[in-house]
């Protein structure tokens, strides 16, 4: 059997292959025969990866068992040195069973802390009794471990067996040892009456939950798949009564947010619809012939951007296009604020358009390559990002071609990867890339922080949104091909919950609306990628009356994964550097995989028809 180090290298190679295959699958062009064959191998590569991950987890678990067995044996011998000689056969069996139960309890506790899903959101505040005992036992062991010169044969053997352990399990043991700073008095049996430790995590006093914590505590959702598009969904926007979506199939679709039924399908674009924004009907003064809708769900306008080099305004009431703005280059992203539309182009332009007249208010070649995201920070500032990993802030009140802030010219230390999503809240800018963490840039100080978005050091964040009260970021477990959402409160960025139905592919876009039902403010989420889903939070009284189990299709409860609550352990990019200089050269990476130059096909500039 391969050792942990060898397995880790192989696992990293396979994860990189899978990520490159995912990138190929998301390309907005026809794949070559060679690329198509790579995509067909995705399931095969994933099965091989899962097999290796299971082998490594078994090795780490076995090593940790030996470490805990050595600690228990050492503590027992110190408390009663003659016990091994006088112990009868029945007593020895009882002792072995008690030790086994303690080891299993501790391993379960560590597994939950490392990223397992808790059955109850409040376990962090009210831990299980077995976890408290396990913590206290290890804490007691830590203060009684003698120097290496007096180590018993049992502990020496366990230490020798543990020499091949990974740094992960060593760190876990060190963390347990450091939890106790004072020696506790020994009892007659450490296995039946364990002393308390004032420094252990599980002895925390319960704390009151804030309003936003209460909002997400054990929140239950009805999950519904919205079928209608013929290709990947590229962007979504949802309101209280209506949802709109754009796709690589060039269509804009309108959905009833209460039922999930498709209301309209609007064609007109000749290229991928890259961005959609939902706008109240009265916010735009288009013409005197605007049609009044028979449905409140359609009392809106929609703004769309497309690779066909146009921005279009649509009336959802009659499904008609009201205005088309030619942009001369492919529109990769857009945002709307009051009377202005901000757009980012394939050619690196950041442009501002008057929504009422369609006039170009401002146009600046802002980036060296594709603009991947654009957001209004407030009425006066726009934030843009690029495929080269650069973030810039623009003041739209002046005509200057220079940004008021740029990570390109600042001393912000981070590895520049393609920025896949971006959100703003106050003076904070959040973005996701092919790293495992969400990056947070504080404009006031120019400092960069990170928030955990994956339980491993390998992952990507393809969608993120920020409201006044919460930050929601999409994570992706590439080993299982499963997408999920992590929720944090704002502005304190405290981790609240993870929403995961274990049946969603990589989430590349999402939107959130707050809906009032039965006197409660509930969350509605909409996600897109290979499939489109609507996640409607259920009223509390309806959840209590349910008799269906959580495993039923379409019904999930938000979980609390403790590891997301831990701070990022590093101040550099090394912890989540998935594309570092020590890259593994394999067939997938030596050839064009679509991650860079192939992502933009040649000859994609627009022509006037």
């Amino acid at each position: 059997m391969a050792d942990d180090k060898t397995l880790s290298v192989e696992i990293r190679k396979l994860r990189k292959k899978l990520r490159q295959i995912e990138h190929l699958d998301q390309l907005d062009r026809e794949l070559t025969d060679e690329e198509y064959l790579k995509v067909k191998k995705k399931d095969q590569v994933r099965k091989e990866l899962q097999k290796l991950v299971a082998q490594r987890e078994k090795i780490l678990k076995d090593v940790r068992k030996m470490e805990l067995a050595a600690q228990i044996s050492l503590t027992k011998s110190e408390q009663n040195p003659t016990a091994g000689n006088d112990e009868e056969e029945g007593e020895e069996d009882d002792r072995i069973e008690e030790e086994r139960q303690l080891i299993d309890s501790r391993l379960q506790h560590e597994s939950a802390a490392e990223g397992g899903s808790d059955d109850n959101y409040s376990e962090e505040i009210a831990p299980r009794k077995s976890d408290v005992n396990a913590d206290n036992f290890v804490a007691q062991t830590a203060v009684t471990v003698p120097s290496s010169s007096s180590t018993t044969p049992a502990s020496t053997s366990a230490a020798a067996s543990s020499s091949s352990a990974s740094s992960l399990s060593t760190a876990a043991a060190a963390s347990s040892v450091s939890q106790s700073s004072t020696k506790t008095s020994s009892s007659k049996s450490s296995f039946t009456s364990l002393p308390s430790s004032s420094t252990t995590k599980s002895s925390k006093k319960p704390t009151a939950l804030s309003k936003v914590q209460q909002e997400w505590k054990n929140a239950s959702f009805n999950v519904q798949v919205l079928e209608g598009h013929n290709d990947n969904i590229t962007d979504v926007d949802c309101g209280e009564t209506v949802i709109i979506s754009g796709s690589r199939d060039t269509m804009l679709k309108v959905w009833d947010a209460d039922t999930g039924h498709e209301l309209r399908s609007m064609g007109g674009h000749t290229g991928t619809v890259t961005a959609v924004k939902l706008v109240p009907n009265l916010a735009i003064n288009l013409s005197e012939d605007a049609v009044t809708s028979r449905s409140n769900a359609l009392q809106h306008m929609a703004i769309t951007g497309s690779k066909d080099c146009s921005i279009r305004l649509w009336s959802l009431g009659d499904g008609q296009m009201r205005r088309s703005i030619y942009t001369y280059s492919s529109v990769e992203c857009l945002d709307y604020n009051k009377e202005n539309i901000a757009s980012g182009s394939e050619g690196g332009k950041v442009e501002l358009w008057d929504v009422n007249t369609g006039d170009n208010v401002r146009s600046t070649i802002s980036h060296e390559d594709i603009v991947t995201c654009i957001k209004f920070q407030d009425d006066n500032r726009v934030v843009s990002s690029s495929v080269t990993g650069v973030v810039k802030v623009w003041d739209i009140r002046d005509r200057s071609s220079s940004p008021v802030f740029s990570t390109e010219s600042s001393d912000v230390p981070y590895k520049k990867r393609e920025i896949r999503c971006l959100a703003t809240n106050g003076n904070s800018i959040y973005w996701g890339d092919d790293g495992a963490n969400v990056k947070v840039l504080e404009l006031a100080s120019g400092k960069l922080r990170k928030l955990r978005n994956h339980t491993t050091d390998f992952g990507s964040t393809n969608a993120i949104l920020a409201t006044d009260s919460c930050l929601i970021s999409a994570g992706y477990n590439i080993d299982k091909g499963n997408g999920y959402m992590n929720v944090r409160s704002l502005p304190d960025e405290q981790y609240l919950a993870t929403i995961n139905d274990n049946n969603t592919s990589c989430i590349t876009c999402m939107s959130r609306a707050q809906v009032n039902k039965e006197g409660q403010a509930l969350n509605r989420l909409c996600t897109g990628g290979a499939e489109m889903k609507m996640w409607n939070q259920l009223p509390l009284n309806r959840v209590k009356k349910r008799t269906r189990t959580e495993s039923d299709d379409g019904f999930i409860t938000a979980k609390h994964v403790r590891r997301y609550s831990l701070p990022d352990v590093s101040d550099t990019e090394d912890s989540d550097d998935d594309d570092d200089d020590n890259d593994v050269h394999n067939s997938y990476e030596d050839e064009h995989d679509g991650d860079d130059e192939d992502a933009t096909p040649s000859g994609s500039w627009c022509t006037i028809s």
Side-chain angles (χ1 to χ4, degrees):
M1 181 181 290
D3 59 21
D4 175 47
K5 185 175 180 180
T6 302
L7 284 174
S8 295
V9 172
E10 293 302 315
I11 287 171
R12 184 176 178 82
K13 286 181 180 179
L14 290 178
R15 283 174 172 170
K16 285 190 173 185
K17 285 183 180 181
L18 269 179
R19 185 172 67 185
Q20 291 159 3
I21 290 173
E22 297 274 2
H23 288 169
L24 283 174
D25 211 14
Q26 293 174 10
L27 287 181
D28 190 18
R29 61 169 173 81
E30 292 291 331
L31 299 180
T32 65
D33 292 341
E34 189 176 7
E35 290 170 340
Y36 179 71
L37 289 175
K38 290 179 182 180
V39 173
K40 283 188 67 175
K41 294 180 180 179
K42 180 165 66 173
D43 291 341
Q44 177 185 340
V45 173
R46 179 160 282 134
K47 286 180 180 178
E48 185 180 352
L49 172 60
Q50 291 174 349
K51 181 179 178 181
L52 294 183
V53 169
Q55 290 179 11
R56 186 178 66 173
E57 288 178 350
K58 185 178 185 303
I59 290 176
L60 296 180
K61 186 175 181 180
D62 289 344
V63 169
R64 186 64 184 132
K65 276 186 176 181
M66 288 188 291
E67 291 175 347
L68 291 174
Q71 289 177 338
I72 292 172
S73 177
L74 181 58
T75 303
K76 179 68 176 177
S77 62
E78 287 188 342
Q79 292 177 348
N80 192 357
T82 62
N85 300 326
D86 302 334
E87 199 169 45
E88 297 182 1
E89 184 177 351
E91 293 176 345
E92 183 178 1
D93 291 341
D94 291 342
R95 175 181 61 79
I96 293 174
E97 178 62 21
E98 288 172 347
E99 291 179 0
R100 186 192 65 78
Q101 291 178 0
L102 280 168
I103 292 172
D104 290 344
S105 175
R106 181 58 188 171
L107 288 174
Q108 289 176 4
H109 179 64
E110 290 177 352
S111 176
E114 286 297 312
S117 296
D118 293 336
D119 293 331
N120 192 313
Y121 179 96
S122 59
E123 277 197 9
E124 183 80 20
I125 297 173
R128 296 184 296 270
K129 186 178 292 185
S130 60
D131 291 344
V132 177
N133 290 345
D135 268 342
N136 289 339
F137 179 81
V138 177
Q140 181 188 4
T141 303
V143 298
T144 56
V145 173
S147 62
S148 57
S149 60
S150 60
T151 304
T152 63
S155 62
T156 303
S157 175
S161 301
S162 303
S163 61
S164 64
S166 71
S167 58
L168 182 63
S169 28
T170 304
S175 175
S176 299
V177 170
S178 65
Q179 289 181 15
S180 178
S181 58
T182 59
K183 185 177 287 188
T184 57
S185 59
S186 61
S187 60
K188 184 175 182 180
S189 174
S190 63
F191 309 111
T192 56
S193 177
L194 298 177
S196 62
S197 172
S198 59
T199 58
T200 57
K201 178 180 178 181
S202 49
S203 61
K204 251 186 212 177
K205 293 181 180 179
T207 56
L209 298 178
S210 67
K211 182 178 179 180
V212 68
Q213 285 176 314
Q214 289 286 358
E215 180 183 349
W216 293 96
K217 175 187 175 183
N218 294 328
S220 296
F221 292 84
N222 179 54
V223 186
Q224 182 178 356
V225 178
L226 307 186
E227 297 181 343
H229 284 292
N230 297 320
D231 208 328
N232 286 1
I233 290 85
T234 54
D235 200 12
V236 292
D237 196 7
C238 67
E240 189 170 349
T241 58
V242 66
I243 298 172
I244 60 173
S245 59
S247 168
R248 291 199 312 202
D249 64 11
T250 74
M251 303 300 291
L252 167 67
K253 289 186 180 290
V254 187
W255 313 80
D256 188 308
D258 291 322
T259 65
H261 293 157
E262 182 180 325
L263 298 176
R264 288 194 186 281
S265 184
M266 291 175 279
H269 283 294
T270 57
T272 295
V273 179
T274 56
V276 298
K277 293 297 293 184
L278 191 63
V279 182
N281 203 20
L282 297 179
I284 302 177
N285 181 21
L286 287 173
S287 64
E288 64 280 356
D289 60 348
V291 178
T292 302
S293 171
R294 293 169 296 178
S295 168
N296 290 332
L298 299 179
Q299 294 283 357
H300 293 80
M301 300 292 297
I303 303 174
T304 58
S306 171
K307 286 185 176 291
D308 65 6
C309 307
S310 70
I311 296 173
R312 303 194 180 198
L313 280 67
W314 309 79
S315 171
L316 303 190
D318 58 2
Q320 297 299 308
M321 182 183 67
R322 295 299 177 187
R323 175 167 291 122
S324 180
I325 303 171
Y326 191 74
T327 60
Y328 294 94
S329 59
S330 171
V331 178
E332 299 296 321
C333 53
L334 63 77
D335 196 18
Y336 166 80
N337 184 26
K338 294 186 176 179
E339 296 183 350
N340 292 316
I341 299 172
S343 66
S345 77
E346 183 184 51
K349 281 186 180 181
V350 169
E351 298 184 280
L352 210 63
W353 310 86
D354 187 307
V355 71
N356 291 312
T357 64
D359 295 337
N360 186 291
V361 178
R362 171 176 174 155
S363 180
T364 306
I365 299 179
S366 309
H367 294 273
E368 296 178 357
D369 211 322
I370 299 172
V371 181
T372 56
C373 308
I374 195 163
K375 292 289 179 184
F376 279 97
Q377 184 185 13
D378 52 36
D379 292 345
N380 301 318
R381 288 188 172 185
V382 170
V383 183
S384 62
S385 65
S386 73
V387 73
T388 58
V390 175
V391 175
K392 296 184 179 182
V393 182
W394 308 86
D395 192 323
I396 63 177
R397 292 171 296 184
D398 59 46
R399 297 285 178 174
S400 172
S401 59
S402 300
V404 295
F405 181 88
S406 173
T407 57
E408 194 172 32
S409 58
S410 68
D411 297 328
V412 177
Y414 71 102
K415 184 174 181 64
K416 292 180 173 61
R417 302 184 180 92
E418 176 181 351
I419 296 176
R420 299 186 175 277
C421 54
L422 184 145
T424 65
N425 181 267
N427 282 321
S428 298
I429 299 174
Y430 303 86
W431 75 80
D433 53 24
D434 280 339
N437 298 317
V438 169
K439 313 303 185 295
V440 188
L441 176 65
E442 294 290 348
L443 286 178
S445 62
K447 293 182 178 179
L448 185 75
R449 294 180 288 102
K450 298 180 197 173
L451 303 175
R452 286 181 182 267
N453 201 39
H454 296 80
T455 56
T456 68
D457 61 355
F458 200 103
S460 60
T461 303
N462 293 277
I464 193 169
L465 65 87
T467 69
D468 292 338
S469 61
C470 68
L471 175 75
I472 305 177
S473 55
Y476 185 54
N477 185 331
I478 199 166
D479 298 359
K480 299 179 180 179
N482 178 54
Y484 54 88
M485 293 171 280
N486 288 328
V487 185
R488 295 179 181 271
S489 59
L490 288 178
D492 59 4
E493 298 167 357
Q494 181 182 6
Y495 168 74
L496 300 176
T498 295
I499 305 170
N500 185 2
D501 68 349
N502 296 305
N503 193 33
T504 298
S505 62
C506 183
I507 297 173
T508 59
C509 56
M510 63 180 173
S511 181
R512 180 239 187 193
Q514 198 163 63
V515 183
N516 293 310
K517 283 189 177 181
E518 301 181 17
Q520 300 178 47
L522 304 173
N523 293 287
R524 170 176 292 139
L525 301 169
C526 188
T527 59
E531 72 277 304
M532 181 175 174
K533 289 187 176 183
M534 179 170 62
W535 314 63
N536 279 319
Q537 184 180 0
L538 300 175
L540 184 60
N541 58 346
R542 219 183 275 182
V543 174
K544 289 181 178 179
K545 293 177 180 178
R546 290 184 64 90
T547 57
R548 291 169 58 189
T549 63
E550 188 178 315
S551 61
D552 287 344
D553 292 339
F555 177 72
I556 60 107
T557 299
K559 299 293 186 181
H560 189 270
V561 182
R562 295 178 183 174
R563 188 164 182 180
Y564 294 125
S565 300
L566 302 177
D568 179 57
V569 294
S570 70
D571 295 325
T572 67
E573 198 65 14
D574 295 339
S575 66
D576 60 329
D577 185 3
D578 303 325
D579 194 19
D580 51 24
D581 295 333
N582 299 321
D583 206 358
V584 181
H585 297 290
N586 53 60
S587 60
Y588 284 85
E589 294 172 313
D590 292 337
E591 299 161 354
H592 296 301
D593 57 40
D595 193 14
D596 297 310
E597 63 269 23
D598 285 349
T600 306
S602 59
S604 63
W605 293 98
C606 304
T607 56
I608 300 177
S609 56

